[in-house]
Amino acid sequence: MSGGLLVAGTTSDAGKSVVTAGICRWLVRRGVKVAPFKAQNMSLNSFVTREGAEIGRAQAMQAQAARVEPSALMNPVLLKPGGDRSSQVVLMGKPVGEMSARGYHGGRQEALLGTVTDCLEQLRGSHDAVICEGAGSPAEINLRRTDIVNMGVARAARFPVLVVGDIDRGGVFASFFGTTALLSAEDQALIAGYLVNKFRGDVSLLEPGLDMLLGLTGRRTYGVLPYAHGLGIDEEDGLRVSMRGAVRESVVAPPHGEDVLRVAVCAVPLMSNFTDVDALAAEPGVVVRFVDRAEELADADLVIVPGTRGTVKALAWLRERGLAGALERRAAEGRPVLGICGGFQVLGERIEDDVESRAGVVKGLGLLPVRVRFGREKVLARPVGTALGEPVEGYEIHHGVAEVDGGEPFLDGCRAGSVWGTHWHGSLESDSFRRAFLAEVARAAGRRFTAAPDTSFGALREEQLDRLGDLIEEHADTDALWRLIETGAPEGLPFLAPGAPGAPGAPGAPPAPAPGAVRTPPAPVPAPGAPQGAGGRPGPWGGAAAAASDRADVIATEEAP
C-alpha cells in the first residue's frame, strides 16, 4: 500500500506539526514504514540534511519520529521570511532567490505544484504511508487557487484530511464547522473529520458537543488529545512561550551542583534556529529565557546572541535597545557571551553585506577578531569536529563568510576571552561538549554549577517523541485513523453550505466542469441551528462513515469520458 493522510488545522499553531509527528511515531511503532511530508513550509527554523539540503526543522523532527533520515523530498519548498513582505525561496533544499508574497502567490507557487507532487509520489513509492502536514488553514479562500500545501496536495494525492483544532484557544466547534463550510464541494469530500487538541478537564463534558458536530457536519471526531506540558518539540515559526517566559514551558530540574546557571537569549529580529538553546534548557539547573531589554542581561551568567535572517537588522536592534552596550560591558568584565551564526557575525569587527540587507560595510560590535563578507552562495554543511577536548557536530546555514584574524579556534569560529562565536547550529546537542562548555561558563561566571553527568539530549528528544506517539495511541481512535490512511475519506460525506465563494473559475471556487460533463450539485446539510444529534454513536468519538451513509445529501459527480 501507499496510503496517506493530510493533517490540516483550523489555524496556525493548532498543533499540526506535533500531531503529524505523533502519528508518525505511532505508525512506526506498529511496523509501518512511514514518512512525513510538508509541501511548503514558512519557517526560520531550518535544518541541513546529510545530502546538504535545507528543510524545515519541524520536518526533520517528524522524520526522527518516523525513524527515517530527513530528506529534501519531505519539504520541497521552504520560505524563509526576510521581512514583512518578502521571503527567500528554498527549492529542494537550495535557495533560488528572494520573492515578494505577491509575486509568489501570483504565479510561482502554482508552478511548483509539479515539483511537490513528484516528491510526494517518490515518498509514496518507497514508504507504506506518508503523513502530510498542511499550513495555516485549508480555508484561506484568498489563496485556494494557488494552494500547493493544503487541499491542493490532498486533491492531487486523493488523501483524506484530518482537521486539528486547538480547543485551549476557544471556539473550536465554530472553527471546525467554518473551516469545512468554506471549502468547495470537491475539497469537502476529502475532509474526513476532526481532532481536538489541547483539551483540559473531563472529556465526558465535551462529548455532547462532539455529537452535535457530527450531526451538523456528518463528520466524526477521531480523538481528543489532552493538553501536554513541556513537550519541547521543534517548532516552525514562533516561540511557544512569551518573550520573558522560560523556554519550552520547561520545569527547571534541581541543579546537580550548588548553583543554577541563568542563560539570557537576545530575541533579535528574524531570529532563526532558536532551537539551538533547547539542549541548554534540558540541563538540570539551567534556566533559559528570551530577553529584549538591556537590564535583563544583568543577572545572566551567559548571554547568547542567536541566529537571524537579518544580521544587519539585528545589529541595529541591539544598538537601539542598549543591548549592544550591555554586551560590550560584559566582554570587558570577562562575563560569558556566545554568538551563533548571525549572532556570531554581529560580534565581529566588520560586516560587508551586499546580499542580505544590501547595506554595504557596517561596523560590528568588535568583540571578536572577525570580518564577515556575505556571499551569494549559501553555505549548507554538516560539520564534525572537536572543541574543549570533546567531540561535537552541528550544521551550518549562512551566507556570511567569516575571516578570523586572531583569538583561539572554536568550532570554525573563534574565542576571545569570555566571548565565543561559531556558525555551527546544534553544537550544544553534543552532550559531552555541552557539559564542557557549561563548565567554562560556570568558571567565568563564578558559579558553583556542575552539569549533570548523565543528561542525554538525544534520549530526551526520543522520550518526547514517544510521548507524542502515546498521545495518539491512547486518545485517538487509531483503528479509524488506520482505515483513513489505508482506504481514504469515507464515501458520501455531506456538503456544508455555503462552500467556496465565487462562481466557477473565480479564486477559491470549484473548477468549472469539463465540456459535456454532467454535475449533480450536492444538497447542503440543513442550516446550523438546533442540531439533530448523532443517535447511536459508533466508536469512542462518533462514526461519520456510518452516519453519512444514511444521508441523502451526498456528492454525485460524473466525469465526461
Side-chain angles (χ1 to χ4, degrees), residues 144-209:
R144 176 62 185 92
R145 180 177 59 83
T146 57
D147 171 44
I148 63 170
V149 64
N150 288 306
M151 301 312 299
V153 167
R155 286 271 289 275
R158 302 306 301 169
F159 277 178
V161 179
L162 183 70
V163 181
V164 178
D166 179 356
I167 197 170
D168 197 53
R169 295 184 176 197
V172 73
F173 293 116
S175 298
F176 283 145
F177 186 94
T179 297
T180 308
L182 280 176
L183 300 176
S184 68
E186 290 87 348
D187 286 349
Q188 287 192 27
L190 295 175
I191 302 294
Y194 312 111
L195 186 76
V196 176
N197 192 28
K198 299 183 184 178
F199 180 73
R200 306 173 192 251
D202 184 351
V203 74
S204 67
L205 300 177
L206 187 66
E207 290 183 350

Side-chain angles (χ1 to χ4, degrees), residues 457-488:
F457 185 70
L460 289 172
R461 175 168 286 177
E462 277 295 304
E463 289 175 12
Q464 291 166 334
L465 293 172
D466 276 331
R467 286 180 63 195
L468 291 181
D470 293 343
L471 285 174
I472 297 298
E473 193 163 342
E474 296 169 10
H475 300 282
D477 186 339
T478 53
D479 288 341
L481 274 180
W482 178 246
R483 285 195 298 273
L484 276 186
I485 294 167
E486 198 171 30
T487 63

Side-chain angles (χ1 to χ4, degrees), residues 185 188 219 492-497 520-526 551-556:
Q188 287 192 27
R219 290 162 173 84
L493 293 170
F495 172 76
L496 306 187
T520 304
V525 298
R551 303 180 68 105
D553 47 344
V554 297
I555 298 172

Side-chain angles (χ1 to χ4, degrees), residues 380-415:
L380 297 170
R382 290 279 294 269
V384 177
T386 59
L388 305 179
E390 301 293 343
V392 58
E393 58 184 82
Y395 57 99
E396 295 184 62
I397 306 169
H398 54 93
H399 283 277
V401 178
E403 179 186 334
V404 179
D405 187 22
E408 302 173 33
F410 177 73
L411 298 180
D412 291 345
C414 68
R415 173 186 182 179

